[in-house]
Amino acid sequence: MISATLRLTLVAAALCATPAYAKKRPAPVPVAAPVVVKNYTAVDRFYSARKNATMWVSNREAQLALVQLLREAPIDGFTRGPGLATQVEAAIAGAQGGNPAAATTAEHLMAQSLVDYVQSLYAPIPGMTYGDNWVRAKAPSGESILAAAANSPSLASHVRTVWNLNPVYAQLRQAAIEEAKLPGGGQSARLALNLTRARFKPPSNRFVMVDIASARLWMYENGVPVDTMKVVVGKNVSAPDMRTPMLASVMYYTIYNPYWHMPDHLVPNMAKAALQLGPVKALAGNKYEVVDAWSANPKILDPTEVDWKGVLAGTASVKLRQKPTGANSMGKMKFPFENGLGIYLHDTPHKEYFAKSDRTLSNGCIRLERAADFGSWLMGRPAKPEATTAELTVPFPQGVPVYVTYLTALPDQGKIAWNKDVYGWDVTPPAIATASLGQ
């Protein structure tokens, strides 16, 4: 017989074992699975859009073309090229066994290598001032680079010519590659330096290139130079800086019968004449006038009210312009383009300068040997400045890019012409110009 004490113990144990009376514990808080965010690249998006269809792994000719391009890429300034070429070759070898993952890795690596190389070609030119967004250095997107490659009739041919930015760059690059094969690399280093200054992609089939080192200008249409002429460029003077800077911009119009705005560094000479001869006589001789601003319709000021002693001493300033005349330093035509430095192309009455071998003679602007011929090409009709002393603005049918660069190595009838380093920029590269220059 169970004792009362034991009976109570068994009942209590039974009650504790019953779920209804068991002590409830809080349910565990569910742990959320970690969120994995994939950073999709242009290559990922490109292959996703084409449902992962390949274009490299089964195209041996294109593979070889890409590897060669990357091996040569340091001549284009893309120093990562040879290292990427080695990676591409290893990835191609790894995909030979038929492993789908290895094939995908190789495919994406080759695509990314092409994107990286092409985008590097569009880096801003060191020392170049960009004055118009139309010609501003801007790399194409990865998707557009790959789309162009995929849509080309031959991927291998596309890769072999993807570096062809403009005719000058193409010829300099070929010469640099040939020089690199010579003992010690020949002149490849100097050619590579010049390639950096020729690395521009014109957005139009018509463009102008001015070379400071040789003091020449070329007009290009559809990749072919259709005319060339001598120019006069800035003096090799650094204080004040009269050297013509490297520029990229767009010309939209010409000005017939332009005024000449006297550069600040020449004003003290006029101040001396004004103090010696009297301001009215000094200015009237060459048809100068004092204005309140560089604008289309400035206020003409009385020269007798100018503090010429202060101008000479540098404690006062004055703006002088020369009326359109036969002696005007602008000549009969002026070709402005935005650059923020007061630099433009223009005619000149001093045709004797073009007979000189050294044409670093201006105050910074670029003087044209045949301004009327240049204007006719830009306008598509004969340029004929009207017989009037009034300024006249004449627009072009379309904007024309202009590149002012500095080439001490220049293609010339299938060969390379070596120009004198007139500004010393092969040794000490120029900084981006910031100050207004002159004519």
Side-chain angles (χ1 to χ4, degrees), residues 133-390:
N133 284 332
W134 196 31
V135 295
R136 193 175 299 279
K138 183 179 179 181
S141 67
E143 290 96 326
S144 65
I145 292 170
L146 295 175
N151 295 330
S152 62
S154 167
L155 178 57
S157 297
H158 178 80
V159 171
R160 292 191 191 103
T161 58
V162 73
W163 44 263
N164 193 354
L165 300 176
N166 62 66
V168 176
Y169 189 87
Q171 294 175 73
L172 287 176
R173 187 181 190 276
Q174 291 299 99
I177 290 174
E178 292 302 315
E179 286 288 319
K181 298 175 183 177
L182 299 177
Q187 293 288 328
S188 59
R190 187 177 179 188
L191 285 163
L193 176 62
N194 280 273
L195 276 170
T196 64
R197 301 172 187 149
R199 196 172 294 144
F200 54 84
K201 180 70 171 177
S204 167
N205 63 351
R206 303 174 87 234
F207 71 93
V208 175
M209 187 186 81
V210 178
D211 173 41
I212 301 167
S214 62
R216 289 200 72 90
L217 173 150
W218 289 263
M219 292 160 270
Y220 279 86
E221 287 186 28
N222 300 314
V224 178
V226 296
D227 198 1
T228 182
M229 67 181 68
K230 297 176 182 177
V231 297
V232 169
V233 295
K235 301 169 188 174
N236 187 22
V237 176
S238 57
D241 198 341
M242 298 185 193
R243 296 170 296 187
T244 300
M246 293 197 294
L247 304 167
S249 194
V250 183
M251 292 181 291
Y252 296 100
Y253 61 94
T254 185
I255 298 176
Y256 288 154
N257 309 312
Y259 284 94
W260 177 56
H261 297 157
M262 182 178 288
D264 290 342
H265 68 274
L266 296 180
V267 171
N269 294 331
M270 182 55 68
K272 290 180 182 178
L275 291 171
Q276 292 173 357
L277 305 175
V280 174
K281 185 177 181 179
L283 270 64
N286 287 307
K287 298 186 182 300
Y288 288 104
E289 54 190 10
V290 181
V291 294
D292 67 336
W294 299 138
S295 62
N297 296 293
K299 180 180 179 181
I300 309 301
L301 305 179
D302 185 345
T304 62
E305 296 181 359
V306 174
D307 178 10
W308 293 105
K309 289 184 178 180
V311 171
L312 186 60
T315 58
S317 62
V318 65
K319 289 181 170 60
L320 297 172
R321 72 176 185 181
Q322 188 179 31
K323 297 178 182 178
T325 67
N328 187 304
S329 296
M330 294 288 97
K332 296 180 179 180
M333 301 181 73
K334 171 181 173 180
F335 303 90
F337 53 92
E338 184 60 44
N339 55 74
L341 302 171
I343 299 295
Y344 34 81
L345 281 63
H346 64 86
D347 188 18
T348 176
H350 298 290
K351 303 299 183 183
E352 69 276 12
Y353 288 169
F354 299 105
K356 298 177 179 293
S357 58
D358 181 0
R359 295 190 294 279
T360 52
L361 302 168
S362 80
N363 295 311
C365 281
I366 300 159
R367 304 177 188 179
L368 301 168
E369 181 183 25
R370 294 182 285 110
D373 291 344
F374 184 61
S376 297
W377 178 75
L378 290 166
M379 291 186 287
R381 55 185 173 82
K384 296 180 179 179
E386 297 183 8
T388 175
T389 58

